[in-house]
Amino acid sequence: MREVVSLHVGQCGNQVGSAFWNLMLLEHEQTPDTDPALSSFFHFEPSKTSRSSHVMKARALLVDMECGPLNETMRSPLGALFDDAQYIMDVSGAGNNFAQGYYFYGPQYHERFMAGIHNNLEKCDSLQGFFLTHSLGGGTGSGVGSYILHLLADEFPKITRFSTCVYPSDDGDVITAPYNTMLATRELIQSADCVFPLNNSSLFSFNQLENPPKTDAANAQPLSAMERKSKSRGFEGVNNIAARMLCHLTSSSRFHGEMNVDINEIYTNLVPFPRMHFLMTALNVRHPATSQTQKHLRTDHSRPALQRAFADILGARGQLSGGNSIHSDRPTTMLSSAFLARGKVALSDLVHCVEGAQKNMNFPEWNQDACKIGMCRTASPGEEMGVMGMYNSSAFANILGRDLSNFQRLFRKKAMLHHYTEYVEEEVVREAEQEVVELVADYQAIENGRYPVTEVTTSVPADFPLYPPF
């Protein structure tokens, strides 16, 4: 097993990280300490209280420019997973300002970031990649997170860098979020190898499907921004969904299976052009636990159950990245896709569902079989079977387009710009806008049957398959 080092940055990144590690411990509750599968995300150190025993530690670095979230982790049962050297924190915060996080706190904590990263690397035999969790709406997750991502790209260019980032909702309460999102997206384009964007609104909607409010379902309305604030446990549910996605993604790196898909295989098979590495994700919806549904789950893991799961990940219900149904009225083009199943799933049933999904997907003519499948026999706790979909789709241009419009609405009037020019020239903001505009144009070019405008492509024969046929 090859190792992965996780870096959790900012309040959102650390809350998602805490949910991730809690779920990881639950999934490995029955895994023997001697099982090499644990070594991907954990390592063992001699106990400080007993010479004859060892304690399990996470391969991780936790960073926040406010001390509150990390102090909560330290005081929780999860705190035993981390040593003091794995925490890096300040007290004042980045003020919801990317520029303050990137250009002020980044250089200030540069040496501590490097020391924390090297501390983790010294305990790895064969490092596979870095996993970064952060949000783009605030100052620490966007600014400090981007600084660390840039640092990893400079210092460890041959190690794959994955980012799981949460894009803000349109009705969020951070006024400067459009600037932070635009500047951070530029760094994601330049420094990440593979990005799994999540959308706050989509996560809340998904959480409502799995945990509906105790009201008349027929009259249920989506939560407003103010209602979300008052639902403290709602954020816990949202973080658990993001954690579940990450656990599903990494399950093949942690459990044995005959059709496991390594996380580097995801990058290799789903990213045909270097800059176009944003993979939209979807999960099947779990139904609220009742005696009737539990009985149904125990007895129905056949093809119909798998087909219902595929209906979720292909429809609007299961989307986590802000996209619509894969079969929406507006045609989109899939550069590539992947379907990862966990639990009691027959290969023949999975192949049947994937072939059905492919018939309704529009792939470019140079990549007609761009579909990867994987199977992990170990299910996530609480379900017999689960499916995750990943799509490198031109639909991401629509999502970026919304964020671009929100940014331009402020930037055209120079509103809030002075908060950023305290730390960086205005030209840097313009360059970030141009970078995102070009990426949107690349995805739109694919949708229109052309090659990306700004990507450098190699000359290959027209019949040369970029991916092996499914």
Side-chain angles (χ1 to χ4, degrees):
M1 294 289 181
R2 299 180 63 191
E3 301 93 356
V4 174
V5 173
S6 302
L7 303 102
H8 310 294
V9 185
Q11 179 177 356
C12 175
N14 277 286
Q15 288 176 343
V16 169
S18 293
F20 171 67
W21 291 109
N22 276 318
L23 185 53
M24 288 273 279
L25 291 176
L26 187 61
E27 291 196 354
H28 287 285
E29 195 171 21
Q30 304 300 322
T31 305
D33 290 350
T34 55
D35 194 325
L38 282 175
S39 66
S40 292
F41 287 85
F42 301 95
H43 67 94
F44 287 88
E45 295 181 351
S47 172
K48 295 179 180 179
T49 59
S50 173
R51 293 183 179 180
S52 61
S53 64
H54 289 72
V55 293
M56 188 167 68
K57 297 291 183 180
R59 302 185 188 276
L61 184 65
L62 284 62
V63 179
D64 200 359
M65 295 300 102
E66 294 180 1
C67 57
L70 296 191
N71 283 336
E72 288 182 15
T73 302
M74 288 180 177
R75 292 192 296 265
S76 72
L78 201 61
L81 275 182
F82 312 104
D83 288 329
D84 291 344
Q86 293 175 272
Y87 295 97
I88 298 177
M89 70 181 84
D90 204 289
V91 294
S92 55
N96 291 327
N97 188 332
F98 171 96
Q100 184 175 354
Y102 192 101
Y103 296 100
F104 178 73
Y105 283 116
Q108 181 177 337
Y109 281 88
H110 178 96
E111 295 302 324
R112 290 193 60 188
F113 294 154
M114 287 300 300
I117 293 168
H118 279 292
N119 178 56
N120 278 282
L121 298 189
E122 289 170 0
K123 298 163 181 146
C124 296
D125 294 323
S126 179
L127 182 64
Q128 181 177 30
F130 294 105
F131 256 60
L132 178 68
T133 63
H134 58 132
S135 70
L136 304 190
T140 302
S142 66
V144 178
S146 294
Y147 186 89
I148 292 175
L149 187 60
H150 187 95
L151 181 66
L152 295 175
D154 280 350
E155 299 292 333
F156 312 99
K158 295 184 179 180
I159 305 299
T160 311
R161 299 168 299 281
F162 298 90
S163 166
T164 299
C165 56
V166 180
Y167 276 77
S169 306
D170 288 339
D171 58 356
D173 57 357
V174 179
I175 305 300
T176 55
Y179 282 100
N180 300 333
T181 301
M182 202 57 39
L183 288 159
T185 299
R186 179 200 191 191
E187 197 61 52
L188 289 172
I189 295 170
Q190 293 181 343
S191 298
D193 290 310
C194 195
V195 179
F196 303 98
L198 302 174
N199 179 270
N200 242 337
S201 295
S202 297
L203 291 172
F204 271 102
S205 298
F206 192 96
N207 185 48
Q208 279 191 284
L209 288 173
E210 292 199 332
N211 304 287
K214 297 179 181 179
T215 57
D216 181 5
N219 298 321
Q221 298 293 324
L223 291 176
S224 67
M226 294 303 294
E227 286 173 326
R228 287 174 187 161
K229 288 183 186 180
S230 66
K231 305 284 186 179
S232 58
R233 293 193 63 84
F235 284 103
E236 181 181 337
V238 165
N239 294 331
N240 288 337
I241 292 165
R244 201 168 97 214
M245 185 278 289
L246 285 170
C247 285
H248 201 124
L249 176 68
T250 61
S251 60
S252 290
S253 299
R254 297 180 289 112
F255 296 105
H256 304 287
E258 64 275 14
M259 285 193 65
N260 277 355
V261 175
D262 187 85
I263 55 174
N264 278 354
E265 288 185 61
I266 298 297
Y267 164 64
T268 302
N269 285 272
L270 269 68
V271 181
F273 301 107
R275 288 160 44 89
M276 304 175 75
H277 52 240
F278 291 79
L279 307 184
M280 302 168 65
T281 54
L283 290 174
N284 63 292
V285 178
R286 290 179 180 175
H287 297 283
T290 64
S291 59
Q292 184 174 359
T293 58
Q294 289 301 315
K295 180 180 178 181
H296 180 71
L297 286 173
R298 286 194 299 269
T299 58
D300 189 6
H301 45 263
S302 58
R303 181 174 294 184
L306 188 61
Q307 289 172 331
R308 287 193 293 273
F310 264 79
D312 285 342
I313 64 173
L314 296 173
R317 286 164 52 89
Q319 304 305 314
L320 304 181
S321 303
N324 296 319
S325 167
I326 300 302
H327 303 149
S328 60
D329 294 334
R330 174 171 178 169
T332 59
T333 300
M334 292 284 175
L335 284 83
S336 53
S337 62
F339 298 98
L340 307 182
R342 293 187 68 176
K344 297 179 179 178
V345 177
L347 177 60
S348 59
D349 292 340
L350 181 59
V351 170
H352 175 82
C353 290
V354 171
E355 288 178 340
Q358 282 184 294
K359 292 176 183 177
N360 295 299
M361 290 180 175
N362 179 34
F363 293 100
E365 53 87 19
W366 43 265
N367 205 15
Q368 287 291 302
D369 297 300
C371 192
K372 181 78 175 175
I373 65 170
M375 293 177 62
C376 175
R377 290 299 181 189
T378 305
S380 179
E383 63 179 359
E384 294 280 318
M385 173 271 296
V387 182
M388 176 180 174
M390 285 180 284
Y391 314 106
N392 193 341
S393 168
S394 64
F396 189 64
N398 304 329
I399 298 169
L400 274 185
R402 292 197 298 266
D403 294 316
L404 188 60
S405 296
N406 292 336
F407 162 78
Q408 291 172 337
R409 194 176 300 116
L410 291 175
F411 190 50
R412 278 198 299 264
K413 303 296 184 182
K414 304 295 179 70
M416 307 295 173
L417 183 61
H418 62 287
H419 297 301
Y420 294 83
T421 53
E422 289 181 32
Y423 302 96
V424 68
E425 297 295 328
E426 181 179 331
E427 185 60 27
V428 172
V429 182
R430 294 188 183 278
E431 290 172 357
E433 177 188 20
Q434 183 59 31
E435 190 93 33
V436 175
V437 167
E438 290 175 357
L439 183 63
V440 170
D442 286 341
Y443 275 110
Q444 290 174 339
I446 290 290
E447 190 168 296
N448 294 327
R450 305 190 307 271
Y451 279 101
V453 179
T454 57
E455 293 284 5
V456 178
T457 59
T458 56
S459 176
V460 295
D463 59 349
F464 183 83
L466 295 185
Y467 298 97
F470 169 72

